[in-house]
Every structure is written in C-alpha cells, then in structure tokens.
Amino acid sequence: MRINSGRGLLREFGIVFPVGAATFPDRVQSLIEDADTGIPLVLRDLLHQLVLEIGELESRIKTVEKHLGALASQTPVVERLRTIPGVGLLTATALVGFVGDVARFPSGRHFAAYLGLTPREHSSGGRRRLGRISKQGDVYLRMLLIHGARAVLQGAQPKSDPDRFRSWALEIQGRRGHNKAAVAVANKMARIVWAVWKSGKPFQSRSQAVADAIQA
C-alpha cells in the first residue's frame, strides 16, 4: 500500500516506476536527493517519510518470516505443503493455522469449496451451468492461493519442459485467459494441498515430456 501510494504521487509528476517492490525505496531516495527532478519540497518530505515507513515494514516482515521459518522447521506438514508449486512459507503456515485438521474434509473438492474456490452451479432441467466461484470461506486464505496461482503461471512461462501441473496451468491460461486461469489453478492447488496434507507425502510431479514418454 505504501509503495502504491508513492507510485501514485510520482505519476502526477510524470515519473513512472516499473512494477516491483525491491528497488522502489532506493530509486525514490535518489529522486529526493536530486535537486533537478522538479519535485516540490513538501512532496520530497512526504516521500522521505514514505521510504522510512517502507524500510520499517520490510524489517518487520523479515522478522516475521524468520519466526515463521523457525516454526515451519518444527512442523512437518508445513514443509510438505511448501513442496507444492505456488505454496510458500506464508501460505503453508496460514493454511495449517486456520484449517487445523484437514481430515474433516472428505475430499479435495470439499476443501476447495470451503475456501470458496469452486464455481456456483445453476442447473435447470438436464442442463448444468457453472458460474463464478462462491467466494465463501476465509478471504485471506483464498487470496494467498490465488496469488500463488499467479506465481505458478508466471513461473511456468520461461520453462522449456514444465511439469504436468504447470503444463495444465498454461493450457488453461491459453483457453480462458490469465485471470480465470489463476482461479482455476488456485482451485487445483487447494485440492493438491488436501491430498498432500492427508497423505503425509510431499508433492511430486513429473515433467510433461517424461509423463508422455511413460504413457507411450
């Protein structure tokens, strides 16, 4: 939020930054120190305070991540969930913390439905129609999985031989577009989370080429 606020302020002066948080504070600080940028003094002070706030937040985030990492190393299920593409430390610990016992869900579909990632069904006569996802359940967990799904789609692009999961994700993206694909991948991730959690085994996925060779 702080970074987006800074981008918005600077855009009013024709200064546009590329997407990404890593270099934003340093670049803004350089603008503040450059007397020829044409940025008013009042705005320079405001941006300086913004950079300080971002630095403090990043420090706190690193501390929290360090504590979560220590917790994860003592929680085997968290380590197993992190083997799933798109599921990082924050998502894995949040799932374990919020869900508790995954055995209360009889299937991966029930688990995905609990997270609001299954489409609503509108059927009449012998016709079945699926609508938008229900968006029931915990908003934060659903957001984490959808962000993870976007990371899966982005990370699959440069791979010359993606695994079966990423190949499926790219196929969905090609047919339905990025946004719908992200939701579909998040749904799939939720089902995989349930399976990995319940089985006690880490996620494994062969490359598509290997899978095709085995089937042949």
Side-chain angles (χ1 to χ4, degrees), residues 24-202:
F24 181 81
D26 289 339
R27 290 189 175 190
V28 171
Q29 191 61 42
S30 297
L31 285 174
I32 295 170
E33 295 171 356
D34 187 350
D36 298 326
T37 54
I39 299 176
L41 183 60
V42 175
L43 183 57
R44 289 174 190 264
D45 291 338
L46 180 60
L47 289 171
H48 178 65
Q49 292 302 318
L50 198 63
V51 168
L52 292 178
E53 287 184 22
I54 292 171
E56 291 173 3
L57 289 170
E58 287 180 340
S59 177
R60 288 164 58 188
I61 289 170
K62 288 178 182 177
T63 300
V64 171
E65 287 179 342
K66 184 177 180 181
H67 291 162
L68 287 176
L71 175 65
S73 65
Q74 301 172 20
T75 312
V77 65
V78 171
E79 292 299 293
R80 287 197 301 273
L81 293 181
R82 292 178 70 187
T83 64
I84 303 169
V87 177
L89 176 62
L90 190 59
T91 303
T93 51
L95 283 166
V96 172
F98 277 96
V99 175
D101 183 12
V102 79
R104 61 195 175 100
F105 301 99
S107 70
R109 189 183 187 287
H110 285 84
F111 184 59
Y114 164 77
L115 296 172
L117 289 167
T118 52
R120 293 181 183 274
E121 184 173 341
H122 306 280
S123 301
S124 60
R127 201 168 173 187
R128 186 185 182 212
R129 292 184 302 172
L130 299 178
R132 296 176 181 272
I133 58 172
S134 67
K135 294 187 178 180
Q136 297 175 345
D138 191 275
V139 176
Y140 181 62
L141 290 179
R142 186 167 59 252
M143 178 198 71
L144 288 175
L145 285 171
I146 290 177
H147 280 325
R150 293 186 188 281
V152 168
L153 290 168
Q154 184 177 0
Q157 302 291 349
K159 291 181 179 292
S160 58
D161 183 21
D163 58 29
R164 297 181 69 178
F165 177 53
R166 291 182 175 87
S167 293
W168 172 85
L170 289 175
E171 180 187 349
I172 294 294
Q173 181 175 242
R175 287 193 287 110
R176 302 178 63 186
H178 181 77
N179 290 333
K180 288 184 178 180
V183 175
V185 172
N187 183 310
K188 187 86 164 179
M189 286 169 58
R191 295 170 188 241
I192 294 173
V193 163
W194 178 86
V196 167
W197 198 338
K198 188 133 188 250
S199 70
K201 298 178 181 179

